Amino acid sequence: MSFQWPLALLALVALPLLVLAYADRERRRNAFGASFGNPALLPNVVDGAPGWRRHLPFAVLLVALGAMVVGVARPHATVSVRREQATVLLALDVSRSMTATDVKPSRLAAARAAAEAFLGKVPKRFRVGVVSFATRASVALPPSEDRALAEAALETLRPGEGTALGDAVAVSVEAARRERASDGTVPPTAILIISDGAQQGGRTTPEAAIRKARAQRIPVYSILVGTSNGVLTRTLPGGFREVTRVPPNPATLQLLARGTGGEFFTARTDVRLRQVYERLGSRLGTHRQRREITDVFAGASAALLLVGGAFSALWFRRVP
């Protein structure tokens, strides 16, 4: 937190002085009362003393004054502000290994279902595009506010071969560059890529993809899906079965996230995958912005003054 008028904070020095003055007043008050009678006989005259409640209104007043002084200093802080417009590119791996069933009902089906849940978490004015990638990457849906189109694009995804992660990022960056906000500027953009493996095929290396994304200030959030128990089974001529182990490989996904300022997640179950999407949906819906928060301290000060006044009126009211 910073302050536009930090010198105003010097007024906080008055608060401990007020505490000392209050303590001195209480001491004098007790001494003055003792001069007119025996304090030991007071319980026989008064049903009960207010005790600590007598000091609570003053304590609330001090806190209110402190909040008021801080408000006068014009504090500024970095807070989360809801985004009005942004673009999110969902890039889904449709390589053959994504048909493994270690994540139920399959890696691809779980990713598709969780992506649909993600669509319900991002603000309605966000434009969402869909990119699929296997041996090569292609745009299944350019960024759009139409969630029905995004869901339909997700349903059309079919398994292929290869895992062109670099191409997926490059194609997503190119799709984002064509976007314009209502004021003509390029809106904030993020790429959300989900895959189970490292780079296999494609024309763009992960390093080149990182440079493209960083040049456009586009972070890549990557999600690794799958478990070490993932296998693919294929029936060969003659009735023989071929079993291929397809454990997830996080290296490239971690590199993409780290190199672009994004974040890497692991999702070993369909429940975990849905949680990650929900978390990202909430995160991408806001951004950090520095703003003045004088209104917060002014409101707190006014509320505390009302509370202190209410305590004093309710606890120490005089009966006519």
Side-chain angles (χ1 to χ4, degrees):
M1 183 183 298
S2 61
F3 299 91
Q4 186 172 338
W5 298 339
L7 290 178
L9 295 176
L10 293 175
L12 292 174
V13 176
L15 297 183
L17 297 178
L18 288 175
V19 172
L20 293 175
Y22 178 79
D24 183 66
R25 174 183 173 277
E26 287 296 301
R27 182 181 60 79
R28 291 175 180 273
R29 179 174 175 273
N30 294 334
F32 182 75
S35 65
F36 287 90
N38 188 352
L41 299 176
L42 189 61
N44 299 322
V45 181
V46 181
D47 292 337
W52 62 268
R53 292 189 304 174
R54 185 177 66 191
H55 307 295
L56 185 58
F58 178 73
V60 173
L61 173 64
L62 282 180
V63 177
L65 290 176
M68 187 181 298
V69 171
V70 174
V72 170
R74 305 284 296 274
H76 289 71
T78 301
V79 297
S80 293
V81 180
R82 189 172 182 83
R83 278 188 174 135
E84 292 297 325
Q85 289 182 309
T87 301
V88 180
L89 275 301
L90 293 176
L92 271 72
D93 182 354
V94 294
S95 61
R96 195 166 68 93
S97 61
M98 288 291 286
T99 62
T101 58
D102 53 329
V103 177
K104 302 299 181 182
S106 71
R107 294 176 180 179
L108 180 56
R112 184 189 291 121
E116 292 173 353
F118 170 81
L119 293 176
K121 290 294 180 181
V122 294
K124 292 183 178 180
R125 293 191 63 187
F126 274 34
R127 297 173 65 82
V128 179
V130 179
V131 173
S132 64
F133 63 96
T135 303
R136 63 186 184 88
S138 61
V139 178
L141 174 71
S144 168
E145 293 181 9
D146 193 328
R147 298 295 187 258
L149 287 178
E151 292 176 0
L154 291 170
E155 289 297 327
T156 64
L157 302 182
R158 295 294 180 267
E161 300 290 338
T163 310
L165 283 168
D167 285 359
V169 174
V171 167
S172 298
V173 169
E174 289 302 317
R177 288 180 59 185
R178 304 188 187 100
E179 291 298 297
R180 289 292 183 273
S182 56
D183 59 359
T185 61
V186 177
T189 303
I191 297 173
L192 181 55
I193 188 168
I194 179 168
S195 175
D196 63 357
Q199 173 87 0
Q200 292 182 8
R203 296 177 296 178
T204 307
T205 65
E207 291 75 15
I210 290 172
R211 290 194 294 271
K212 287 179 178 290
R214 291 181 63 177
Q216 300 298 320
R217 297 182 179 179
I218 299 177
V220 176
Y221 294 89
S222 59
I223 304 175
L224 179 72
V225 63
T227 70
S228 58
N229 298 323
V231 296
L232 293 178
T233 303
R234 186 176 63 167
T235 302
L236 301 175
F240 295 100
R241 296 177 61 196
E242 178 186 67
V243 178
T244 306
R245 292 177 55 83
V246 285
N249 189 330
T252 307
L253 292 175
Q254 290 173 331
L255 177 66
L256 290 171
R258 184 171 60 249
T260 59
E263 193 169 351
F264 169 78
F265 301 92
T266 58
R268 299 186 181 279
T269 65
D270 56 338
V271 175
R272 169 61 177 161
L273 184 59
R274 186 179 297 272
Q275 291 173 346
V276 170
Y277 268 112
E278 290 176 352
R279 177 179 171 186
L280 282 174
S282 301
R283 178 176 302 180
L284 296 175
T286 60
H287 67 106
R288 304 290 287 173
Q289 185 180 76
R290 193 156 189 81
R291 54 158 294 202
E292 184 177 340
I293 55 173
T294 299
D295 53 339
V296 175
F297 286 91
S301 176
L304 288 170
L305 288 173
L306 289 175
V307 170
F311 283 160
S312 181
L314 293 174
W315 285 347
F316 310 113
R317 60 181 181 272
R318 300 290 186 265
V319 180

